[in-house]
Amino acid sequence: MTKPLIVALAALASVELWALPGVLTTESETLKGDIKWRARTKQYIISVKKGTTMVDLERNLADVVSLELPKPAGYDRAVQQVEANQGAMAISVLSKIVSDYRMLQWDKPAGRYLAMAYISADQPQKALEVCEKIISEDKAAAWSGELASAYWQALMRLGKTEKLQGLLNKAASSGSRQASAAALVMRGDIIIAAANGAPDKLKEALRDAYLRVALMYNDEECVRERSEAMLKAASCFEKLGQTARAEKLKSQAKAL
């Protein structure tokens, strides 16, 4: 077998692996089959069975309400590693998920934790690159959804404050409670980053950000943001010497 033919077959195989089983929903239909993303035309291609024949259907990105695909192998373990400050151990798994699930539901949550792993390793530029590669195909991911807060953290670490502020404003006015809550948490982080331990700044972060989220965003879609806000508020109270209030918030966050 000639080398060009081997290369061509390998490329074909990689394309076949790109299609993943799942459910695609638009406002008018729900389709079950093998789904892949066509970046050139901004369309999803789903292979469905019509009688005894497999048919490829095209659906535009703007028309797709949701995708449902099985959770990728290794995802939960990688998330646990990132949350346990062992992000370096999760980077290869998360990188593969981001690549294999490009625009297929799991790229953004995996991208979030991959970016967090890089930030924990003091590599914010790599975190930024991970996020911006995903955002290049889904602009709204910069201010709404699971990826946004990790992207904002990378921007803050790199001193890109003007761009960050613009995205926070967009998130706050987007109409999404989840995005608005995440933006408030990030505003608290910005205050803390400039605080140098000053008590008045810690109180400002509590009043204008963390406690607002903890008290006002108690609906189901904001559970992650509320938990994060509670833990960050607890950290502020610890620094202010109010350990009882800190412990109470930690318990409440753990119960969410």
Side-chain angles (χ1 to χ4, degrees):
M1 187 179 292
T2 63
K3 186 174 181 180
L5 181 56
I6 292 172
V7 172
L9 288 174
L12 179 61
S14 68
V15 170
E16 292 302 317
L17 287 172
W18 188 28
L20 297 167
V23 176
L24 181 152
T25 301
T26 69
E27 289 188 356
S28 60
E29 62 186 346
T30 297
L31 301 168
K32 185 176 182 179
D34 291 336
I35 309 168
K36 61 184 177 182
W37 168 247
R38 181 185 287 164
R40 180 174 55 83
T41 58
K42 302 291 184 185
Q43 290 176 313
Y44 288 102
I45 314 301
I46 181 166
S47 299
V48 300
K49 195 168 185 178
K50 298 285 187 180
T52 59
T53 307
M54 296 301 294
V55 178
D56 285 349
L57 304 177
E58 299 175 349
R59 296 294 181 266
N60 295 328
L61 172 62
D63 297 327
V64 175
V65 174
S66 67
L67 295 172
E68 295 178 36
L69 288 88
K71 188 180 294 183
Y75 175 80
D76 283 340
R77 176 61 179 154
V79 169
Q80 290 170 1
Q81 289 170 330
V82 174
E83 291 181 339
N85 295 318
Q86 299 172 344
M89 299 172 65
I91 285 174
S92 61
V93 170
L94 292 170
S95 296
K96 187 174 190 306
I97 293 172
V98 169
S99 176
D100 290 351
Y101 285 76
R102 180 183 178 192
M103 289 295 288
L104 293 173
Q105 183 185 356
W106 291 99
D107 59 337
K108 295 178 185 67
R112 164 188 164 82
Y113 285 102
L114 179 56
M116 289 171 61
Y118 279 128
I119 289 169
S120 295
D122 199 24
Q123 298 183 67
Q125 183 59 43
K126 285 192 175 182
L128 187 76
E129 290 166 5
V130 167
C131 295
E132 291 191 335
K133 187 173 182 180
I134 296 171
I135 290 164
S136 68
E137 292 190 298
D138 186 356
K139 306 299 184 189
W143 66 84
S144 182
E146 295 187 79
L147 185 73
S149 60
Y151 182 44
W152 300 341
Q153 288 286 346
L155 289 170
M156 184 174 72
R157 290 287 191 94
L158 292 167
K160 298 180 182 291
T161 53
E162 186 175 347
K163 185 171 187 177
L164 172 57
Q165 191 59 55
L167 292 173
L168 294 180
N169 292 340
K170 202 160 191 175
S173 63
S174 67
S176 163
R177 282 182 59 78
Q178 183 274 333
S180 179
L184 275 173
V185 173
M186 188 68 231
R187 290 190 195 281
D189 293 351
I190 292 170
I191 294 168
I192 294 298
N196 292 321
D200 60 328
K201 288 295 182 182
L202 294 173
K203 292 175 183 177
E204 181 184 347
L206 284 166
R207 181 186 66 247
D208 295 344
Y210 302 142
L211 291 181
R212 285 184 64 188
V213 175
L215 295 171
M216 297 171 58
Y217 290 82
N218 56 3
D219 39 307
E220 188 174 341
E221 66 179 307
C222 300
V223 169
R224 186 182 65 213
E225 289 72 27
R226 190 168 179 237
S227 175
E228 183 179 0
M230 285 178 171
L231 292 174
K232 289 181 174 180
S235 177
C236 289
F237 280 125
E238 285 177 342
K239 291 172 183 175
L240 291 168
Q242 300 182 38
T243 55
R245 296 189 71 177
E247 291 304 318
K248 183 177 180 180
L249 280 167
K250 287 179 185 179
S251 297
Q252 289 175 336
K254 188 175 181 180
L256 291 178

